[in-house]
Amino acid sequence: MQGSRLERGERICFRVAVACAALGFLTSAGCSPLPSLTAGAVPWLHPLLLLAGAAAGLASSHRGVEIDRRRWELLEEPLLTDGERQLAHKEAERQRRWASLAYLGAPLMLGYWLAYQVEGEGRALAAALLPVTAVLGSVAGLAWARLRERPPD
């Protein structure tokens, strides 16, 4: 089975998260495989990471909805046993956790890596807050998706 676009995006985000975590670790150890960024890049990186985090939060929420839709389609099968129903619920929750890890880990690890890529005097606080900016973007994206999903009162 090929999978949906969100499922493929989830796999890509997981690979990005792992690669950025490895690059961040190497860079923090002083073995940066790429040239360093100047402190002047930090003001441009914060909005980019905020947007990347928001996009990841939205995608994570939509992927959760997609997983739940599949779960309930499966559970409508009248011949399922109680054990199969419980297994379907557990599998759906496992998939939701994995999707959240992948989608939210990519911008976080990107921010972690970029925080170590910046050199110069402006690096101290502004660069250290790059991962926080990515997380704030993810939370904003998740909140926005939840507000849009909520049925009108």
Side-chain angles (χ1 to χ4, degrees):
M1 185 170 137
Q2 183 69 14
S4 70
R5 261 195 295 176
L6 288 171
E7 195 172 352
R8 289 188 302 273
E10 175 186 326
R11 288 192 297 269
I12 291 168
C13 282
F14 182 75
R15 290 180 184 120
V16 167
V18 169
C20 288
L23 287 168
F25 179 74
L26 286 173
T27 306
S28 69
C31 305
S32 179
L34 298 173
S36 296
L37 298 171
T38 64
V42 174
W44 296 99
L45 293 175
H46 279 285
L48 290 174
L49 283 172
L50 190 69
L51 288 173
L58 281 169
S60 176
S61 180
H62 290 306
R63 177 72 175 120
V65 169
E66 182 179 88
I67 290 167
D68 283 341
R69 189 176 308 122
R70 284 187 196 163
R71 172 196 329 206
W72 295 113
E73 286 173 2
L74 176 67
L75 291 174
E76 286 179 1
E77 178 65 38
L79 299 177
L80 287 181
T81 64
D82 286 340
E84 290 171 329
R85 289 181 193 282
Q86 288 177 351
L87 185 61
H89 283 298
K90 287 179 183 178
E91 178 63 18
E93 290 306 315
R94 185 197 63 77
Q95 287 178 358
R96 286 180 66 99
R97 284 189 303 272
W98 183 256
S100 294
L101 172 70
Y103 275 117
L104 304 178
L108 174 64
M109 290 296 110
L110 179 62
Y112 165 72
W113 171 45
L114 291 175
Y116 284 105
Q117 279 294 111
V118 176
E119 65 179 21
E121 291 183 23
R123 177 197 154 140
L125 182 61
L129 291 176
L130 287 171
V132 175
T133 300
V135 170
L136 290 175
S138 296
V139 169
L142 282 169
W144 189 39
R146 300 270 193 238
L147 288 174
R148 291 181 58 210
E149 289 173 8
R150 180 180 286 170
D153 291 334

